[in-house]
Amino acid sequence: MKHLILGTAGHIDHGKTSLVKALTGIDTDRLKEEKARGITIELGFAHLELPGDIRFGIVDVPGHERFVRAMVAGVGGMDLVMLVIAADEGVMPQTREHLEICQLLGVKKGLVVLTKSDMVDEEWLGLVGEEVRDYLAGSFLAEAPIIPVSSRSGAGLDALKEALVRLAAEVEEKRHDGPFRLPVDRVFTVTGFGTVVTGTLLSGEIRVGDEVELLPAGLACRVRGIQAHGAKADKGQAGQRLAVNLQGVEHTEVVRGDVVVPKGLYHPTRAVDVRLDYLKSAPRQLKHRSTLRLHSATYEVAAKVILIDRDTLLPGDTAHVQLRLAKPVLLLPGDPFVLRTYSPQATLGGGIVLDPAPPRRRRRSAEALELLRAIEAGSEADKIRLLISTSLLSGLSLDDMVSRTGMAAKRIEAALASLLSAGEVLQVVREPRIFLGKEAFDTLKTALMAELENFLRDNPMKDGIGKEELKSRIPRRSDPRFFGPLLAALEKEGKAVSERDIIKLPGRKGEATVDQAGLQARIEAALLKGGMEPPTIRELCDRLGCGEKQLLEHLNLLAREGRAAKIKSDIFYAPQPLAAIREKLITHLKSRGEINPPDFRELTGLSRKFMIPLLEYFDQEKLTIRVGDKRVLRKG
Ligand SMILES: Nc1nc2c(ncn2[C@@H]2O[C@H](COP(=O)(O)OP(=O)(O)OP(=O)(O)O)[C@@H](O)[C@H]2O)c(=O)[nH]1
Ligand SMILES: [Mg+2]
């Protein structure tokens, strides 16, 4: 069964609703006001099965110029359109506007129905047919069939159905893979069931039991039941008209324009980069920062037009622009939209979304424009590569890619596979899977090498930098989780070596210069001279005439080489006096079994300043173990 959405379009009173009724037997004008006034106000829905296993969901739109807003919402999911033109009136203003809207919103195919054929004679019908054919030149309906029909007598209906079957074979069904998206066009309550929303499923499949979310508000709810074309179903698929019963949300919380999507996947956006086709029929030029109304799917929102590469847009121009939206909405790459004004009411243009998460800059560089052109023209792999490369140093997860493109994860993975094997992108985190562009990866490697080199220049005494230290120096716009693969790559290229937790430059060793060697010898001598009560850092600085940072660096180096012992961050001993204290302590503990601080003071004659740190040092060295306020020898 092929599921397609067939819509009407055309001027008021040209017979759209009558045509749908003649085709399906369903009167789509349900409202009292519609019946009383004899015009359509809201979207109407019907369905039609035709030979060849074709099932059409039908959307009937209003023709009145004041209801173009509702009409646009109906065009959102249309696969095929029937442009309805009354034979006695011919092409009228909303015939034109509706055709433009269908074209801008990317309706691929359709046909023209010359209605009310019973009201004119053959000759007139021929003339109108020619006029219509001329009018269609250059539009997506230029070659479309033009079929005279009388909804009153039924003449021409069979020919229309045959033409619809032929057209249906030429269009592709909407994509069943990828996350589902259901823009809401109606909301109501059903006693005993609660909130029901209706809409055309634009992609994917939705099932009873699915955890879903209503955007942009982010209301979480659950699918309790589904009806497809009026019959109960377990699931709905792309291209079907659905009524979905939602649990966990009040009908007053939902409005037309909301979108039902899988929970937690998509993020509404307030700025999009788009390709904008500014209509030839637009009444005036469009200035930078003009505010218009954007219509897409079933919602509309105020949008400020940021012209990227020019100051004004002339009728007939096409340009890449950024749209800043008054409130967040869900837009994905490839989504069509139209832009309208309300005083006076007119459709000015439209186009497709290229990047729903662009950098928020006023004007953009030539490279950025280049990028938008490439996004527009490229293959799926190109698009994924561009998406990753525009994420710069922060990388992009697979989930991000799904939510930014609406593409199925499988298709993204296929694109990634070719990019990975070509070396154009790299996977930098396994769980969740995060990818970086090759250029960003190289930039980060260079940044880390610079950090390593700078550190060693500032700390000439050191052999290398601590792993954690270097990791913390990854640029903030990036992610410390990328450190592992970056270091591995640097090591593989022979640019860095890691030994345990220290990362070094190959072949470089922290060395003291002659002068510094002299200073070290003097530090050693001063410590030795201090004996059991060595000089403090401050005293050493004064005595040796050096800075505290430099001194500590030397002391730490001496400690690493076993030429001094570090008791505490600011207490260092020469090895000999420390060994003597240690001997005394061991002898005492062997004979007495334990020692407390007063005993230790008596034993060594040390002041409290040295005594406590020493006791703690021996604990740390695992010579002693603390039991209450006493120390005993550690066994083994
Ligand atoms: N003689 C004749 N009258 C028709 C035909 N189709 C529609 N009409 C009449 O034209 C009028 C308008 O028809 P609708 O079907 O309501 O027109 P519409 O295009 O749906 O109008 P809106 O939805 O308001 O834009 C009605 O009075 C219909 O009875 C037809 O084939 N022959
Ligand atoms: Mg109607």
Side-chain angles (χ1 to χ4, degrees):
M1 183 79 76
K2 191 167 187 174
H3 292 279
L4 295 172
I5 302 293
L6 171 66
T8 62
H11 198 70
I12 185 165
D13 253 0
H14 276 199
K16 298 179 287 298
T17 306
S18 306
L19 177 66
V20 172
K21 188 166 182 200
L23 280 171
T24 66
I26 299 169
D27 183 0
T28 55
D29 279 350
R30 310 167 312 268
L31 304 178
K32 240 190 242 154
E33 197 189 345
E34 291 180 319
K35 296 237 188 285
R37 290 169 68 184
I39 60 167
T40 303
I41 296 170
E42 285 289 345
L43 295 174
F45 305 104
H47 46 88
L48 176 66
E49 261 181 56
L50 287 182
D53 247 9
I54 295 155
R55 175 145 226 184
F56 285 118
I58 299 185
V59 179
D60 180 42
V61 307
H64 196 296
E65 63 173 322
R66 285 201 22 233
F67 308 138
V68 173
R69 187 180 276 185
M71 181 271 172
V72 177
V75 179
M78 283 184 196
D79 299 302
L80 290 174
V81 65
M82 297 188 285
L83 183 63
V84 170
I85 302 175
D88 58 341
E89 278 198 343
V91 173
M92 296 293 280
Q94 268 62 53
T95 316
R96 299 176 194 282
E97 187 170 15
H98 285 196
L99 180 66
E100 281 171 341
I101 289 169
C102 289
Q103 181 134 0
L104 290 170
L105 287 177
V107 179
K108 292 287 172 316
K109 280 188 185 295
L111 46 73
V112 174
V113 185
L114 281 185
T115 48
K116 309 193 185 183
S117 64
D118 56 290
M119 291 180 62
V120 298
D121 59 27
E122 279 295 313
E123 199 191 339
W124 181 262
L125 204 56
L127 287 173
V128 182
E130 280 170 30
E131 176 208 307
V132 168
R133 180 62 73 205
D134 287 347
Y135 159 65
L136 293 174
S139 79
F140 75 105
L141 293 182
E143 310 289 327
I146 299 175
I147 300 163
V149 162
S150 166
S151 302
R152 192 152 290 177
S153 72
L157 282 176
D158 288 337
L160 172 59
K161 287 180 188 169
E162 281 166 26
L164 287 173
V165 170
R166 278 198 302 276
L167 277 180
E170 293 171 18
V171 290
E172 269 182 46
E173 244 182 320
K174 292 184 172 63
R175 297 207 72 108
H176 290 200
D177 63 357
F180 62 80
R181 227 182 349 153
L182 183 77
V184 173
D185 47 40
R186 280 195 298 154
V187 193
F188 49 88
T189 48
V190 175
T191 323
F193 289 94
T195 307
V196 175
V197 299
T198 68
T200 299
L201 195 68
L202 291 186
S203 64
E205 288 186 353
I206 184 169
R207 289 167 193 277
V208 173
D210 277 351
E211 299 292 337
V212 304
E213 182 174 34
L214 276 157
L215 290 181
L219 289 173
C221 44
R222 217 175 126 262
V223 176
R224 185 167 163 190
I226 294 175
Q227 283 200 350
H229 303 289
K232 200 163 170 262
D234 297 333
K235 65 169 190 183
Q237 50 182 267
Q240 283 182 322
R241 289 280 320 157
L242 301 177
V244 177
N245 181 201
L246 294 175
Q247 193 172 35
V249 66
E250 294 296 323
H251 80 282
T252 49
E253 295 177 289
V254 192
V255 293
R256 167 190 291 171
D258 285 351
V259 191
V260 183
V261 291
K263 195 161 143 187
L265 175 67
Y266 287 125
H267 314 287
T269 175
R270 288 193 64 166
V272 283
D273 280 355
V274 304
R275 188 203 69 220
L276 173 61
D277 301 323
Y278 195 54
L279 288 176
K280 262 205 202 80
S281 59
R284 56 178 180 273
Q285 59 183 28
L286 185 70
K287 294 206 185 89
H288 178 55
R289 299 188 79 81
S290 309
T291 298
L292 299 172
R293 304 290 300 180
L294 173 142
H295 297 247
S296 187
T298 58
Y299 58 76
E300 58 167 297
V301 60
K304 190 177 278 178
V305 182
I306 305 297
L307 297 177
I308 296 171
D309 60 349
R310 61 191 88 193
D311 294 323
T312 51
L313 208 57
L314 300 176
D317 276 354
T318 287
H320 290 119
V321 308
Q322 185 165 97
L323 301 175
R324 305 247 175 98
L325 310 173
K327 57 180 198 213
V329 296
L330 177 62
L331 283 167
L332 295 176
D335 278 0
F337 64 91
V338 298
L339 292 177
R340 305 193 73 234
T341 54
Y342 283 96
S343 54
Q345 289 223 26
T347 298
L348 298 187
I352 60 163
V353 173
L354 299 176
D355 185 353
R360 207 174 156 82
R361 269 172 278 161
R362 204 176 92 85
R363 302 285 172 114
R364 304 216 296 171
S365 60
E367 290 91 52
L369 276 170
E370 199 59 49
L371 194 76
L372 288 180
R373 263 174 232 131
I375 291 179
E376 196 178 348
S379 66
E380 281 190 348
D382 284 339
K383 282 175 194 159
I384 295 298
R385 181 172 50 78
L386 287 165
L387 204 59
I388 295 173
S389 73
T390 48
S391 74
L392 303 175
L393 303 185
S394 56
L396 209 60
S397 73
L398 192 59
D399 288 349
D400 288 339
M401 291 182 225
V402 173
S403 72
R404 292 264 296 271
T405 61
M407 272 166 70
K410 266 206 185 121
R411 272 162 56 217
I412 295 175
E413 288 193 55
L416 279 171
S418 69
L419 295 171
L420 285 166
S421 68
E424 291 182 88
V425 304
L426 292 104
Q427 181 172 332
V428 278
V429 178
R430 201 169 295 161
E431 191 55 57
R433 296 178 66 191
I434 300 179
F435 300 84
L436 256 190
K438 168 95 170 64
E439 274 180 32
F441 193 77
D442 290 345
T443 304
L444 286 175
K445 276 195 313 196
T446 310
L448 280 183
M449 279 311 290
E451 289 292 344
L452 176 58
E453 281 158 4
N454 288 345
F455 179 87
L456 290 173
R457 201 187 48 233
D458 294 346
N459 299 275
M461 308 300 303
K462 299 214 162 134
D463 286 345
I465 185 172
K467 217 178 225 173
E468 287 304 314
E469 174 66 33
L470 187 59
K471 186 174 175 179
S472 74
R473 295 185 183 209
I474 268 194
R476 267 217 257 142
R477 286 162 297 137
S478 189
D479 188 328
R481 286 180 295 178
F482 305 166
F483 182 68
L486 287 165
L487 179 61
L490 289 173
E491 288 197 83
K492 208 167 151 199
E493 291 165 24
K495 292 189 177 146
V497 246
S498 65
E499 269 169 35
R500 271 168 282 138
D501 283 339
I502 303 291
I503 296 155
K504 307 176 179 181
L505 286 175
R508 181 195 174 283
K509 218 176 152 7
E511 258 178 292
T513 59
V514 181
D515 228 30
Q516 283 161 333
L519 181 58
Q520 281 173 15
R522 284 160 62 214
I523 296 171
E524 276 187 285
L527 287 181
L528 192 58
K529 192 165 164 227
M532 306 260 282
E533 297 207 335
T536 63
I537 301 295
R538 178 119 303 277
E539 285 162 356
L540 279 171
C541 285
D542 290 349
R543 206 174 302 168
L544 301 171
C546 64
E548 191 168 316
K549 189 168 176 257
Q550 193 190 9
L551 177 74
L552 277 171
E553 221 175 84
H554 283 288
L555 280 168
N556 283 317
L557 183 82
L558 290 173
R560 276 204 302 280
E561 290 178 357
R563 291 156 67 189
K566 183 177 184 171
I567 306 306
K568 222 179 122 181
S569 60
D570 58 349
I571 301 180
F572 289 81
Y573 268 73
Q576 299 86 333
L578 184 68
I581 297 171
R582 190 187 176 96
E583 275 313 304
K584 278 192 183 169
L585 180 62
I586 293 174
T587 314
H588 178 97
L589 286 173
K590 279 194 173 149
S591 63
R592 309 272 180 88
E594 58 179 47
I595 194 165
N596 61 17
D599 294 341
F600 188 54
R601 164 182 252 158
E602 204 167 295
L603 182 73
T604 57
L606 284 171
S607 71
R608 206 179 155 74
K609 181 176 135 196
F610 293 103
M611 197 184 81
I612 300 296
L614 275 169
L615 281 174
E616 280 165 5
Y617 168 79
F618 289 125
D619 287 345
Q620 234 174 60
E621 289 291 286
K622 302 204 163 49
L623 174 71
T624 53
I625 189 162
R626 187 175 171 163
V627 183
D629 62 346
K630 298 180 178 129
R631 260 87 181 175
V632 297
L633 268 182
R634 201 186 257 267
K635 301 215 167 68

